[in-house]
Amino acid sequence: MKFFSFLLALIFVSFNAQTIYSKAYGNPKDIPIIFIHGGPSGNATLFEGTTARKLADKGFYVIVYDRRGEGRSKDKNASMTFTESFEDLNGIYKTYGIDKANIVAHSFGGIIGTLFTKKFPDKVSSLTLVGALFSQQETYDHILKQAKEKFKNDSSKMAEISEIEHLSKNSADYRKRCYNLASDMKLFSMPSPTPESQKLRTEYETGEFYAVNFRNPESPLKFYKNESQNNLDNTAVLKEIKKTGIPIFAVYGKDDGIFSEKQLNDIKNIAGKDHFKLIDNCSHYLFVDQQEEFLQFISLLSNKV
């Protein structure tokens, strides 16, 4: 075990008159990883409380942060736009003295990580998508298709689904209600929780990080109000990034019900079979559902970048 493996740095990053929560784990001389959490209305507490330190112990300098207006980076004036997210992320680079880093992005964070990589390719050593969105409408369509099958004999639910389908596909309500259906169908839950995953969940839910699991319900509303790019298909963008020589990695749960088989095949073809992994008995929160396999996959970064 390296001497610096338990070195921590907790910094509230101040720039643009804002305060951004961030924390670093590991040796600053090791390979840098910046974790981008999901959302809007998310935070990095689950990853930080279960996985960040363990990833640092494998030889990485792991930086987590909460985006402006989300989680522990409270800011009632945050706009929730991609431009603002890029400002926050560039501030993290500056604060920790990093020129290039490996971006590891979860869920909606994958949209931000992909667009950041396209805009600032010189700052990214690799991009890893972790159960990450890339073709949003395909995800919504897949959720609704499953809901129609599951609730076909429930007239009330079928009426709800029809109502959702008639909403604007560029609205916060459409997104929210699609994901509510996904939760109703338990699409975010691993089918057979293991003792290890249950232990991680329990430790998180009884620990210090769950106590600061702040979520701002206004975040999605602000995002859809202020950001015109709100229902993206980044498939072409990822292909462009791949052509620049920046490695793309992708790891998904086989039981993550928000992604269709087609989507998983699409991202596998973009990343390449050696940079892609589909984990059994695993859903949306891979770093908890199957933590050891997740850590093994991320360790590929030490050999490929």
Side-chain angles (χ1 to χ4, degrees), residues 165-231:
E165 289 183 316
H166 285 87
L167 292 171
S168 167
K169 292 179 171 57
N170 298 94
S171 67
D173 196 31
Y174 178 77
R175 168 195 175 274
K176 180 178 185 293
R177 294 181 69 177
C178 282
Y179 285 131
N180 284 346
L181 281 176
S183 294
D184 290 345
M185 294 185 287
K186 301 187 185 303
L187 299 187
F188 296 110
S189 303
M190 65 187 299
S192 302
T194 62
E196 293 80 10
S197 68
Q198 290 176 319
K199 182 173 183 290
L200 284 170
R201 284 280 183 184
T202 298
E203 289 176 346
Y204 168 71
E205 290 172 1
T206 57
E208 61 177 305
F209 292 103
Y210 188 75
V212 291
N213 178 26
F214 305 129
R215 294 180 178 273
N216 179 5
E218 298 298 316
S219 297
L221 301 176
K222 281 193 171 185
F223 174 79
Y224 278 86
K225 178 183 177 181
N226 298 327
E227 178 56 68
S228 60
Q229 300 181 87
N230 50 33
N231 191 348

Side-chain angles (χ1 to χ4, degrees), residues 134-135 137-143 145-146 252-254 256-267 276 278:
F134 60 96
S135 53
Q137 190 57 54
E138 283 192 81
T139 286
Y140 303 141
D141 289 343
H142 184 58
I143 291 170
K145 180 180 178 181
Q146 292 177 92
Y252 286 75
K254 189 175 182 180
D256 191 340
I258 70 170
F259 298 106
S260 67
E261 184 177 351
K262 176 187 177 297
Q263 285 179 290
L264 294 174
N265 284 330
D266 286 346
I267 197 63
F276 176 83
L278 194 61

Side-chain angles (χ1 to χ4, degrees), residues 29-292:
K29 295 182 180 179
D30 283 341
I31 298 169
I33 283 177
I34 299 176
F35 177 78
I36 304 179
H37 65 77
S41 186
N43 59 58
T45 60
L46 182 60
F47 179 84
E48 184 176 1
T50 60
T51 309
R53 188 191 298 270
K54 294 174 184 177
L55 187 55
D57 289 344
K58 290 188 175 292
F60 296 98
Y61 184 50
V62 181
I63 299 168
V64 301
Y65 74 104
D66 289 356
R67 286 187 299 276
R68 191 185 318 181
E70 299 183 58
R72 294 158 287 184
S73 300
K74 297 180 180 180
D75 178 6
K76 63 181 181 180
N77 296 315
S79 68
M80 305 295 166
T81 61
F82 288 127
T83 296
E84 186 178 77
S85 294
F86 299 160
E87 291 174 358
D88 293 348
L89 191 45
N90 277 318
I92 295 295
Y93 275 81
K94 182 177 180 180
T95 297
Y96 289 93
I98 295 171
D99 295 322
K100 295 186 74 171
N102 299 280
I103 299 295
V104 175
H106 177 243
S107 196
F108 177 76
I111 298 286
I112 294 172
T114 297
L115 295 179
F116 181 87
T117 301
K118 179 186 177 183
K119 189 173 180 66
F120 303 100
D122 293 342
K123 292 190 171 186
V124 181
S125 300
S126 71
L127 171 65
T128 300
L129 303 178
V130 180
L133 297 171
F134 60 96
S135 53
Q136 289 178 278
Q137 190 57 54
E138 283 192 81
T139 286
Y140 303 141
D141 289 343
H142 184 58
I143 291 170
L144 291 168
K145 180 180 178 181
Q146 292 177 92
K148 287 179 182 178
E149 179 60 29
K150 183 174 181 64
F151 300 118
K152 60 185 177 183
N153 296 319
D154 185 332
S155 59
S156 176
K157 274 290 186 185
M158 291 300 291
E160 179 185 346
I161 293 166
S162 177
E163 187 176 305
I164 293 170
E165 289 183 316
H166 285 87
L167 292 171
S168 167
K169 292 179 171 57
N170 298 94
S171 67
D173 196 31
Y174 178 77
R175 168 195 175 274
K176 180 178 185 293
R177 294 181 69 177
C178 282
Y179 285 131
N180 284 346
L181 281 176
S183 294
D184 290 345
M185 294 185 287
K186 301 187 185 303
L187 299 187
F188 296 110
S189 303
M190 65 187 299
S192 302
T194 62
E196 293 80 10
S197 68
Q198 290 176 319
K199 182 173 183 290
L200 284 170
R201 284 280 183 184
T202 298
E203 289 176 346
Y204 168 71
E205 290 172 1
T206 57
E208 61 177 305
F209 292 103
Y210 188 75
V212 291
N213 178 26
F214 305 129
R215 294 180 178 273
N216 179 5
E218 298 298 316
S219 297
L221 301 176
K222 281 193 171 185
F223 174 79
Y224 278 86
K225 178 183 177 181
N226 298 327
E227 178 56 68
S228 60
Q229 300 181 87
N230 50 33
N231 191 348
L232 294 174
D233 184 345
N234 277 336
T235 304
V237 177
L238 288 165
K239 290 178 179 178
E240 290 176 21
I241 291 170
K242 183 75 177 291
K243 287 179 181 178
T244 68
I246 297 174
I248 295 174
F249 296 82
V251 57
Y252 286 75
K254 189 175 182 180
D255 304 288
D256 191 340
I258 70 170
F259 298 106
S260 67
E261 184 177 351
K262 176 187 177 297
Q263 285 179 290
L264 294 174
N265 284 330
D266 286 346
I267 197 63
K268 178 181 180 180
N269 289 334
I270 293 171
K273 65 178 183 179
D274 293 337
H275 286 196
F276 176 83
K277 186 173 182 63
L278 194 61
I279 302 179
D280 289 332
N281 189 26
C282 183
S283 187
H284 197 60
Y285 297 94
L286 300 87
F287 42 87
V288 174
D289 291 357
Q290 296 291 348
Q291 186 179 81
E292 190 52 43

